Amino acid sequence: MAQHAEGSYYVPHDTKWPMVGSLGMIIMLASAANWMNGSAMAQWTFWLGLATIIFMLFGWFGEVIRESQAGLYNAQVDGSFRMGMSWFIYSEVMFFAVLFGALFYARALSVPWLGGSGTGASTNELLWQGYVPMWPTNGPGNLGGEFQTIPAFGIPFINTLILLTSGITITLAHHALIKDQRRELVTWLAATVLLGFIFLVFQVGEYKEAYTELGLTLGSGIYGATFFMLTGFHGMHVTLGAIMLTVILVRSIKGHFKPKHHFAFEAVAWYWHFVDVVWLGLFIFVYAL
Amino acid sequence: MSSDIIHNEQHLAHADHDDHDHKPTGFLNRWVFTTNHKDIGTLYLVMSLLMFLVGGVMAIIIRAELFMPGLQLVEPDFFNQMTTMHALVMVFGAVMPAWVGFANWLIPMMIGAPDMALPRLNNWSFWILPFAFTMLISTLFMDSGGPAAGWTLYPPLVLQSGTNFAFVVFAIHMMGISSIMGSINIIATILNMRAPGMTLLRMPMFIWTWLITAYLLIAVMPVLAGAVTMLLTDHFFGTNFFNAAGGGDPVLFQHIFWFFGHPEVYIMILPAFGVISEILPTFARKPLFGYGSMVYATGSIAFLSFIVWAHHMFTVGMPLQGELFFMYATMLISVPTGVKVFNWVSTMWQGSMTFETPMLFAIGFVVLFTIGGLSGLMLAITAADFQYHDTYFVVAHFHYVLVPGAVFALMAATYFWLPKFSGNMYSEKWGKIHFWLSAVFVNVLFFPQHYLGLAGMPRRIPDYSPQFADFNMISSIGGFAFAATQLIFVGVILHCIFKSKVRATSAVWAGSRGLEWTLSSPPPHHSFTTPPDVTQNMVKHAE
Ligand SMILES: [Cu+2]
């Protein structure tokens, strides 16, 4: 019998969770499409689909956690999981890169062109006469009406501090985990979760202010579109990250993680740092500049 | 004998766990809940063949309408739905899943692993696709009909779509999720599951090309997802990304789409390069010429693919510096591509060649793909592109790289490895007939389209002016014959799997080298339960 340098291979057998996930996905997305097309029924099936996906995630990860607790995973499986998570985060980076790209394109190229710079002289002369390019803008059509922006050094700055602090607390939690100090681990992790949810509460308040007092909406031209899409997708990722943090908090309380065996913790920590870095980009390019 | 494979708890509970070739029983367990790389590979390949036929029927409708000038068979709007759906189905449903199918089958066998790194994720990567394509194709039966703005989905036209629009966007999201998960799995497998001694520069070219393809997929599928998400919010939620009145720009969509779109063409062709680099040495009975330069050329092509996207947009209005940059960057790609063609020809040089069907398709690929590459070089010249843009010349160009390019390589791969997968030999006679008819009719089909394009016939129209009639008729005849020829392909595959009496040996071919040929034909359920020790003389490209 030959011995593998890495130990033995792990090959799981049949699994029903992916099919549950696919069914949830098709129910959710087909319903979403029908909902957008005006079907009243579809919003109920949409939630059914989403619930199915959540059920799948609990079931699938639950199975993986049980196998991990049973000691079935060796260093090689751990390595595969790590690569999987890193490349998943990379795909998320590329998704945000598109939205940032749209923002940079509008600010550096298309808005100045509408104002007549570069090759845009005739566009400005014939189509949008008198439009003066600026940022923020809702375009030469003044779409969505007059609006004001959210000042960077108010709530957004506080939110920056909150996320940066949460990056520190999760690192402290990680150090505690490596030293096998479970009480410190739980404390710092709970602090991270709390900071995550405070961030979200502030963000919701900011949106409310934008819509009710500042006149800034999704329809406020290219500024409103890039502002809400970037901060909105980031907010969705913070929500997901906070839920993931809550899950590993519960698992920490249960004592699942060992100083040398805690991939799930690290995966969530990576994800949280990623969300953090995206926010820094947002703070600089959406709010401050 | 104890095993090097650990199964999950239920399986550990069985005491008599010695037999390793235990395929799961029952349809659901074998195919729907499977985590086996070969069974998932088969699912991908079967779905891809089905989609190839569906997309082919759409192409026949297009060619039938274009057989003569004037409107004969279909409404113009339905014609537009056919061109749009033909592209979406062929790109996302036929070519890409086919390559993932081969990746699934071959990567563990070529690197000496029992299976893919993340087998459950592998199942999900596949099983999203049938739902995605059901949703996409179902739009044809909606009151609005299917999407009709072209597969490139340019706004503002695409924003005028009716009921189908949201369904198309979500179908694309699902395909993207599937591709990203599949690619994550492929990268993790290649980097983490190689047998001892299988160093990076001992990996077969197919592994290298797929590693780089998977990277491209993870990098650009989220970009496409972002682009269609912005379309969705522009359509339904009042954003103005692509509306100049709001400070947006429809051209922004084109930039984002082609930032995905150009790497996408390499996603379809890089695995083909890998397959050709496997087949030519086998039948020339010589190691691959210039293995190292092949690896670097593949990497260079992938890098360049990110900085050439605007060659699709020369005529939409860009600053002159932009036009020039994208022209030169595009032409630069011909350097690494030329390295590859040179290496393939040098591999055959003074080889003792035999011409079994996979070799015929591989040589057909080298010759005909190069024609597509050269017409691409013509299109890359900005000034000339103002004449060629949106004409049949473009259609001829990308069909040359995709049909006698990617699709011929897929057929070559099928003939090359099907005996390994099924354990049976296919009919060499019918394989050769399939090749020769395909090779002739693919040229009858697409070559005249060069002339049509140079003469100014625009693409994506159901009617045309009478001076284009003759070449269109020739092209359509070639199209019908090429389509009919593919029924032979289906027949040869079915015969090989279910009827053929000739058993394949482990090596299958006289000149075969590499790990996959050391396994039995068909291979055991878990490819390598104990990792082989890879030594220099087991490496495909070793002298
Ligand atoms: Cu291109």
Side-chain angles (χ1 to χ4, degrees):
Chain A
M1 188 189 80
Q3 279 294 329
H4 190 329
E6 303 278 323
S8 29
Y9 289 127
Y10 173 76
V11 180
H13 267 238
D14 51 331
T15 171
K16 60 183 182 309
W17 295 114
M19 184 44 75
V20 176
S22 294
L23 288 170
M25 195 184 272
I26 190 76
I27 293 171
M28 183 177 82
L29 292 179
S31 307
N34 276 320
W35 193 359
M36 289 174 190
N37 288 333
S39 154
M41 248 287 284
Q43 55 173 305
W44 301 109
T45 48
F46 173 84
W47 297 113
L48 174 74
L50 183 64
T52 311
I53 291 176
I54 293 170
F55 170 68
M56 175 277 288
L57 289 171
F58 271 92
W60 189 332
F61 285 122
E63 200 169 310
V64 172
I65 290 166
R66 275 192 301 283
E67 288 177 13
S68 171
Q69 296 299 101
L72 289 173
Y73 294 164
N74 55 25
Q76 190 175 34
V77 176
D78 196 62
S80 296
F81 284 168
R82 278 163 198 279
M83 284 181 199
M85 189 68 194
S86 337
W87 287 103
F88 167 66
I89 291 175
Y90 178 68
S91 77
E92 295 267 51
V93 169
M94 289 309 290
F95 182 78
F96 277 98
V98 181
L99 296 172
F100 275 108
L103 175 69
F104 298 153
Y105 181 86
R107 291 186 66 164
L109 298 171
S110 69
V111 170
W113 286 340
L114 287 172
S117 73
T119 50
S122 50
T123 308
N124 181 255
E125 194 61 36
L126 300 171
L127 293 174
W128 308 112
Q129 212 168 35
Y131 175 65
V132 183
M134 60 196 152
W135 192 264
T137 182
N138 54 359
N142 194 27
L143 298 188
E146 293 304 320
F147 69 92
Q148 287 172 292
T149 57
I150 292 165
F153 287 90
I155 299 241
F157 185 65
I158 296 173
N159 263 350
T160 308
L161 296 179
I162 288 173
L163 274 195
L164 288 177
T165 314
S166 76
I168 298 170
T169 53
I170 198 165
T171 307
L172 291 172
H174 193 199
H175 285 300
L177 171 54
I178 291 168
K179 289 189 213 130
D180 210 8
Q181 301 163 332
R182 199 189 308 171
R183 233 194 44 194
E184 282 80 352
L185 162 66
V186 171
T187 314
W188 288 122
L189 204 49
T192 315
V193 174
L194 189 68
L195 289 167
F197 281 108
I198 293 174
F199 174 93
L200 285 170
V201 170
F202 279 147
Q203 190 77 5
V204 170
E206 190 184 280
Y207 276 14
K208 219 168 131 190
E209 191 196 337
Y211 264 81
T212 53
E213 285 159 39
L214 302 177
L216 173 61
T217 69
L218 204 50
S220 301
I222 190 67
Y223 183 84
T226 49
F227 174 82
F228 280 106
M229 290 289 271
L230 272 161
T231 57
F233 271 105
H234 177 262
M236 279 159 63
H237 282 74
V238 174
T239 311
L240 188 63
I243 293 169
M244 283 155 60
L245 283 169
T246 312
V247 171
I248 59 162
L249 176 61
V250 172
R251 292 189 63 197
S252 298
I253 293 168
K254 284 188 175 174
H256 279 184
F257 300 125
K258 307 282 173 294
K260 285 208 166 96
H261 191 78
H262 52 261
F263 162 70
F265 181 96
E266 286 187 49
V268 176
W270 295 344
Y271 194 80
W272 195 249
H273 288 308
F274 151 71
V275 166
D276 210 351
V277 170
V278 171
W279 176 260
L280 287 180
L282 284 180
F283 183 71
I284 295 168
F285 294 111
V286 176
Y287 292 98
L289 293 181
Chain B
M1 180 191 131
S2 71
S3 107
D4 268 27
I5 289 204
I6 309 170
H7 300 295
N8 62 19
E9 295 116 303
Q10 302 118 279
H11 277 264
L12 286 174
H14 295 293
D16 54 340
H17 196 59
D18 284 334
D19 172 21
H20 275 221
D21 214 29
H22 56 291
K23 292 191 176 77
T25 46
F27 181 82
L28 279 182
N29 284 332
R30 174 80 196 272
W31 299 110
V32 181
F33 301 145
T34 179
T35 52
N36 182 273
H37 75 98
K38 300 192 194 69
D39 290 346
I40 294 171
T42 304
L43 288 168
Y44 267 110
L45 291 171
V46 169
M47 191 198 81
S48 154
L49 189 61
L50 281 175
M51 288 294 127
F52 182 58
L53 298 175
V54 170
V57 168
M58 293 171 180
I60 290 172
I61 294 172
I62 293 168
R63 277 324 317 169
E65 177 58 51
L66 294 174
F67 188 74
M68 284 190 300
L71 295 175
Q72 282 93 24
L73 296 169
V74 295
E75 293 295 313
D77 184 58
F78 186 72
F79 182 89
N80 290 344
Q81 292 175 34
M82 286 296 102
T83 54
T84 305
M85 287 291 263
H86 165 72
L88 289 171
V89 165
M90 286 302 200
V91 169
F92 294 103
V95 175
M96 289 168 67
W99 286 129
V100 183
F102 278 110
N104 257 296
W105 260 97
L106 291 169
I107 289 173
M109 297 205 294
M110 283 183 166
I111 64 172
D115 208 299
M116 299 293 279
L118 303 160
R120 290 190 181 109
L121 193 71
N122 202 12
N123 175 300
W124 204 20
S125 305
F126 172 76
W127 274 110
I128 287 175
L129 286 180
F131 293 99
F133 282 96
T134 306
M135 186 149 87
L136 179 68
I137 293 171
S138 73
T139 60
L140 286 173
F141 305 99
M142 292 174 182
D143 55 2
S144 64
W151 83 286
T152 49
L153 307 167
Y154 282 2
L157 180 60
V158 77
L159 297 175
Q160 297 166 18
S161 306
T163 317
N164 65 61
F165 182 67
F167 291 96
V168 173
V169 167
F170 288 136
I172 290 173
H173 277 140
M174 290 174 77
M175 294 165 203
I177 292 169
S178 158
S179 290
I180 291 169
M181 293 196 304
S183 304
I184 287 173
N185 210 343
I186 285 168
I187 293 186
T189 306
I190 296 174
L191 295 184
N192 199 34
M193 302 287 280
R194 298 195 311 280
M198 180 55 83
T199 56
L200 285 177
L201 285 176
R202 280 179 175 176
M203 296 195 311
M205 270 318 291
F206 184 71
I207 304 294
W208 262 113
T209 52
W210 242 117
L211 180 66
I212 291 167
T213 302
Y215 171 75
L216 291 180
L217 275 165
I218 300 178
V220 302
M221 291 312 284
V223 174
L224 177 64
V228 296
T229 304
M230 288 188 238
L231 285 178
L232 192 77
T233 58
D234 267 19
H235 191 292
F236 288 105
F237 302 106
T239 58
N240 293 289
F241 284 107
F242 309 126
N243 177 8
D249 187 353
V251 177
L252 169 62
F253 178 85
Q254 300 187 20
H255 281 291
I256 300 173
F257 181 87
W258 288 112
F259 186 85
F260 146 80
H262 193 84
E264 170 67 24
V265 306
Y266 291 105
I267 287 163
M268 292 190 278
I269 206 67
L270 287 184
F273 290 170
V275 162
I276 301 307
S277 304
E278 304 288 335
I279 293 174
L280 291 178
T282 306
F283 297 99
R285 291 162 182 78
K286 273 179 64 194
L288 181 67
F289 183 88
Y291 169 84
S293 65
M294 285 298 216
V295 173
Y296 293 119
T298 311
S300 312
I301 291 173
F303 169 74
L304 288 172
S305 76
F306 285 107
I307 54 164
V308 297
W309 75 88
H311 60 215
H312 297 266
M313 309 160 50
F314 284 145
T315 60
V316 301
M318 253 191 300
L320 184 64
Q321 306 91 305
E323 308 249 313
L324 290 175
F325 171 80
F326 286 109
M327 172 171 83
Y328 292 128
T330 303
M331 297 181 111
L332 215 52
I333 295 185
S334 54
V335 176
T337 315
V339 168
K340 283 190 168 285
V341 174
F342 179 85
N343 285 348
W344 289 325
V345 174
S346 304
T347 302
M348 291 188 278
W349 179 254
Q350 292 191 330
S352 34
M353 289 200 282
T354 52
F355 299 94
E356 287 87 342
T357 311
M359 182 63 160
L360 290 175
F361 272 102
I363 295 172
F365 172 96
V366 174
V367 174
L368 298 174
F369 173 81
T370 305
I371 294 178
L374 291 173
S375 61
L377 210 49
M378 292 168 71
L379 286 160
I381 303 165
T382 308
D385 184 69
F386 273 70
Q387 170 71 14
Y388 307 146
H389 187 86
D390 257 348
T391 68
Y392 258 82
F393 191 80
V394 179
V395 176
H397 157 69
F398 68 72
H399 279 96
Y400 259 90
V401 291
L402 286 175
V403 184
V407 172
F408 266 31
L410 280 165
M411 288 167 176
T414 306
Y415 286 108
F416 192 51
W417 282 295
L418 191 60
K420 168 57 64 187
F421 298 169
S422 68
N424 301 329
M425 288 307 287
Y426 61 86
S427 159
E428 195 61 60
K429 181 180 120 196
W430 282 100
K432 286 196 168 113
I433 292 172
H434 173 226
F435 168 75
W436 284 111
L437 292 177
S438 293
V440 169
F441 289 123
V442 83
N443 286 296
V444 178
L445 166 57
F446 293 121
F447 209 85
Q449 296 180 2
H450 289 116
Y451 301 124
L452 287 169
L454 293 178
M457 176 168 158
R459 61 190 287 207
R460 290 171 171 162
I461 42 103
D463 190 7
Y464 47 83
S465 125
Q467 82 258 26
F468 302 127
D470 293 349
F471 279 133
N472 266 300
M473 193 176 280
I474 295 170
S475 176
S476 286
I477 291 169
F480 302 145
F482 183 78
T485 304
Q486 301 323 310
L487 297 177
I488 300 176
F489 183 50
V490 177
V492 173
I493 293 173
L494 293 177
H495 173 266
C496 173
I497 297 171
F498 297 111
K499 279 269 153 57
S500 172
K501 296 274 183 302
V502 190
R503 297 284 165 264
T505 61
S506 299
V508 182
W509 309 108
S512 45
R513 297 181 75 176
L515 288 182
E516 79 265 32
W517 307 109
T518 64
L519 292 166
S520 59
S521 304
H525 194 60
H526 297 297
S527 296
F528 285 94
T529 49
T530 49
D533 245 313
V534 181
T535 51
Q536 184 63 22
N537 62 359
M538 293 158 81
V539 176
K540 284 187 192 241
H541 49 272
E543 289 294 329

